[in-house]
Amino acid sequence: MSKTIFELSSPGRKGYTLPKCDLPDTFKAEIPQQYLKFMRKSAPRLPECSELDVIRHFIELSHKNHFIEKGLYPLGSCTMKYNPKVHESIARHTCFVNIHPYQPLCTVQGALEIMYELQRDLSEISGMTQVTLQPVAGAHGEFTGLKVIHAYHQHNGNHHKNKIIMPDSAHGTNPASCTLAGFEVIELKSRPDGRVDTEQLRQIVGDDTAGFMLTNPNTLGLFESQVEEIAAIIHSVDGLMYMDGANLNALLGIVKPGQIGFDVMHFNLHKTFSTPHGGGGPGAGPVGVVEKLVKFLPAPLIGKNQDGYFLDFSHKETAISKVHTFYGNFALMLRAWVYIRMLGAEGLRKVSENAIINANYLKFRLAPYFHIEHTEHCMHEFVADGTKQKKEQGVSTLDIAKRLLDKGYHAPTIYFPLIIPEAMMIEPTETESLQSLDAFADAMIEIAKEVETNPDMLHQAPLTTPVRRVDDVRAVKQLDVKFPI
Ligand SMILES: *Cc1c(COP(=O)(O)O)cnc(C)c1O
């Protein structure tokens, strides 16, 4: 294991120069008596290193983590694609970093124009009428969209509509957001082909149904082909259709959710539209709605009239309350706007086509080695599983995922979706080349072979990482990131 910065320390070595202290000797006399006890008696114990030591240390540390620029990152559902660097240089431009939301509108017309255009582009891409850019995460978008559904039913006097139906393949945030928004969740068991069981849906839908929430493509990486039928059932009781559009990278330019029966949806700009994410960094989860729901979106929307762009509060009487300070995470909107501008309509469609082709290619290459429950063509991701390895050699999906770290890859999403035992949810994204897909497939196949020849080693993996297996549960409950000094 490499040395810590404290171990690198050598007394008297420095990587900085401070200006000469210009405090008069008398300054101590000016400190009120009661604060003197807080004065340090001895110097803090800090590492003493040269600038080069420090830089080498941090460069080395940075490589201990996994990131997309280091290697393929097939974390299903999370869309860890490469984010073009041009987004970053534009987002750092002084024109953008130095503006403030309290500035007079006439001085920020350019920023408002970008937001206005992004509202319009996302509406166009999704087939929705209007979009709010306020929510700052996918789950936050879900919450906002569900509050809009709630407001719609309240507005119509349907106070008893308090149930949201969703399939058991739903992304974990879906039931959580429903509960937070005050709804009761009704779970629907998926059919053996991984799709919504519309027969069962007909049985449980009722007057108290507020809506239906569907992840599409679903978490099995399959397109839910019966959306129109589901929408007819839900609309027949004046329920609303919510689409979890976090993974819209499978549908760009191919399907417009607003045209197949969805009424509300969220986008994850930090997945589909290539803005950086992970590590809990800032996100953006805009929400699009059909015409009859526009008046419930949080105010303001960005409007345009003959004088230019403005903050449109005209629907504030019916709007749900704001869901974020000011207008959302502008720097992410900006990156997404650049992404859409750079690619254009055709480019966006290619994004989805390539995401789908890449996933199917990997699925095809891995199929002889790993069990895959749903063998039909997938969308942007697929779910393989380790049931064969578990049954034959006692090697779990966790072991396989840990071994991948030794081979220089991030693990796929594992043990999700819950309906597939030993699940490995693999999403290569469209930014990977044929060569890198092949290299990843080779690594997975090598592991499948190791399972047969050396199962014990797999229980030990990872063997090469600075930290071996951690107790995930304890790490969450007793997080301690301090260096013991
Ligand atoms: C990522 C994801 C979410 C949640 O998005 P966050 O920005 O992490 O809150 C919701 N649904 C699906 C299908 C997702 O993949």
Side-chain angles (χ1 to χ4, degrees):
M1 196 160 148
S2 52
K3 290 200 163 142
T4 67
I5 194 95
F6 286 94
E7 289 160 336
L8 288 173
S9 173
S10 171
R13 195 171 285 167
K14 284 203 308 191
Y16 61 88
T17 26
L18 291 179
K20 208 165 152 317
C21 178
D22 58 358
L23 277 176
D25 286 344
T26 53
F27 86 98
K28 253 195 201 169
E30 287 169 36
I31 299 176
Q33 191 66 30
Q34 73 265 37
Y35 296 131
L36 278 177
K37 63 171 189 266
F38 295 120
M39 275 185 70
R40 275 194 168 280
K41 311 243 168 356
S42 57
R45 198 186 147 230
L46 293 174
E48 297 176 73
C49 297
S50 71
E51 185 173 314
L52 181 58
D53 290 339
V54 173
I55 289 184
R56 281 193 181 143
H57 175 71
F58 283 108
I59 294 279
E60 194 188 318
L61 275 190
S62 73
H63 283 250
K64 292 199 189 310
N65 222 331
H66 192 82
F67 43 101
I68 190 69
E69 286 84 353
K70 185 175 167 188
L72 192 141
Y73 201 144
L75 194 65
S77 203
C78 294
T79 314
M80 305 307 288
K81 60 167 126 176
Y82 175 67
N83 300 311
K85 295 295 168 253
V86 61
H87 300 178
E88 300 309 310
S89 56
I90 292 175
R92 280 174 175 72
H93 197 285
T94 48
C95 290
F96 297 115
V97 292
N98 291 335
I99 55 176
H100 191 279
Y102 280 144
Q103 264 176 248
L105 292 190
C106 62
T107 65
V108 286
Q109 284 292 304
L112 291 173
E113 180 174 352
I114 285 168
M115 292 167 74
Y116 179 85
E117 289 192 5
L118 186 61
Q119 281 178 184
R120 203 196 49 199
D121 292 348
L122 293 176
S123 302
E124 170 69 24
I125 288 167
S126 62
M128 294 289 168
T129 308
Q130 183 57 285
V131 166
T132 171
L133 302 172
Q134 265 183 41
V136 293
H140 196 202
E142 291 170 23
F143 175 78
T144 307
L146 288 158
K147 279 294 185 193
V148 165
I149 292 178
H150 182 256
Y152 168 81
H153 292 314
Q154 293 296 315
H155 185 80
N156 293 342
N158 289 325
H159 308 291
H160 59 291
K161 286 196 168 293
N162 63 352
K163 297 195 169 60
I164 300 274
I165 305 172
M166 68 184 68
D168 57 4
S169 60
H171 189 270
T173 49
N174 293 183
S177 302
C178 279
T179 306
L180 266 185
F183 289 106
E184 192 183 316
V185 178
I186 309 286
E187 193 181 90
L188 196 57
K189 205 164 152 16
S190 297
R191 286 189 324 215
D193 71 352
R195 304 314 201 294
V196 170
D197 185 340
T198 48
E199 282 320 304
Q200 207 202 331
L201 176 61
R202 275 179 222 282
Q203 316 265 310
I204 62 173
V205 82
D207 195 37
D208 56 1
T209 303
F212 189 87
M213 201 170 185
L214 190 63
T215 304
N216 203 15
N218 68 24
T219 56
L220 296 163
L222 304 174
F223 185 71
E224 292 278 359
S225 45
Q226 317 163 90
V227 174
E228 283 158 315
E229 190 189 343
I230 299 167
I233 299 170
I234 297 299
H235 288 152
S236 74
V237 294
D238 194 25
L240 295 172
M241 290 285 288
Y242 186 101
M243 180 169 123
D244 178 337
N247 296 163
L248 202 68
N249 46 313
L251 306 182
L252 295 171
I254 302 172
V255 175
K256 292 190 178 193
Q259 288 179 352
I260 57 173
F262 288 106
D263 304 299
V264 192
M265 68 170 287
H266 78 267
F267 310 78
N268 273 38
L269 298 191
H270 50 286
K271 291 180 182 168
T272 311
F273 296 94
S274 195
T275 67
H277 66 137
V287 169
V289 296
V290 294
E291 181 79 45
K292 68 180 175 190
L293 299 178
V294 174
K295 60 174 184 265
F296 303 112
L297 287 176
L301 295 162
I302 311 302
K304 184 184 177 187
N305 61 20
Q306 68 282 3
D307 301 325
Y309 299 94
F310 66 102
L311 299 175
D312 185 356
F313 285 95
S314 59
H315 64 299
K316 71 173 191 298
E317 297 301 324
T318 45
I320 64 165
S321 52
K322 285 189 80 164
V323 293
H324 199 254
T325 45
F326 300 116
Y327 321 110
N329 278 332
F330 176 71
L332 294 202
M333 300 170 200
L334 177 58
R335 289 177 175 92
W337 177 86
V338 174
Y339 186 67
I340 294 170
R341 285 290 156 305
M342 300 274 292
L343 287 169
E346 266 180 44
L348 288 175
R349 188 184 163 103
K350 283 221 172 82
V351 162
S352 286
E353 287 174 353
N354 287 329
I356 294 169
I357 290 168
N358 280 2
N360 279 286
Y361 179 75
L362 264 190
K363 184 177 185 178
F364 173 82
R365 281 216 54 197
L366 297 185
Y369 304 91
F370 295 92
H371 177 248
I372 296 179
E373 179 70 22
H374 299 96
T375 49
E376 64 187 285
H377 285 164
C378 62
M379 300 294 284
H380 64 301
E381 66 191 357
F382 63 98
V383 179
D385 64 69
T387 47
K388 179 167 162 293
Q389 285 73 13
K390 177 97 189 195
K391 188 157 154 263
E392 292 170 9
Q393 304 289 343
V395 172
S396 68
T397 279
L398 181 67
D399 297 332
I400 296 170
K402 294 292 183 194
R403 184 65 180 145
L404 263 176
L405 307 182
D406 282 334
K407 308 216 179 253
Y409 292 101
H410 195 281
T413 297
I414 56 172
Y415 299 105
F416 188 84
L418 304 174
I419 52 178
I420 302 286
E422 299 294 315
M424 291 183 271
M425 190 191 208
I426 301 176
E427 178 182 13
T429 83
E430 77 283 357
T431 57
E432 296 300 333
S433 66
L434 180 60
Q435 288 80 357
S436 63
L437 294 177
D438 273 332
F440 176 73
D442 291 345
M444 286 293 285
I445 293 166
E446 240 171 63
I447 294 174
K449 292 182 176 155
E450 287 170 355
V451 170
E452 286 171 15
T453 53
N454 197 354
D456 283 345
M457 183 260 289
L458 272 124
H459 300 314
Q460 305 299 319
L463 307 173
T464 58
T465 52
V467 178
R468 303 280 297 277
R469 278 197 203 195
V470 293
D471 180 341
D472 302 333
V473 178
R474 219 184 93 209
V476 171
K477 292 196 170 155
Q478 298 172 22
L479 182 67
D480 181 2
V481 292
K482 290 196 305 291
F483 180 79
I485 48 172

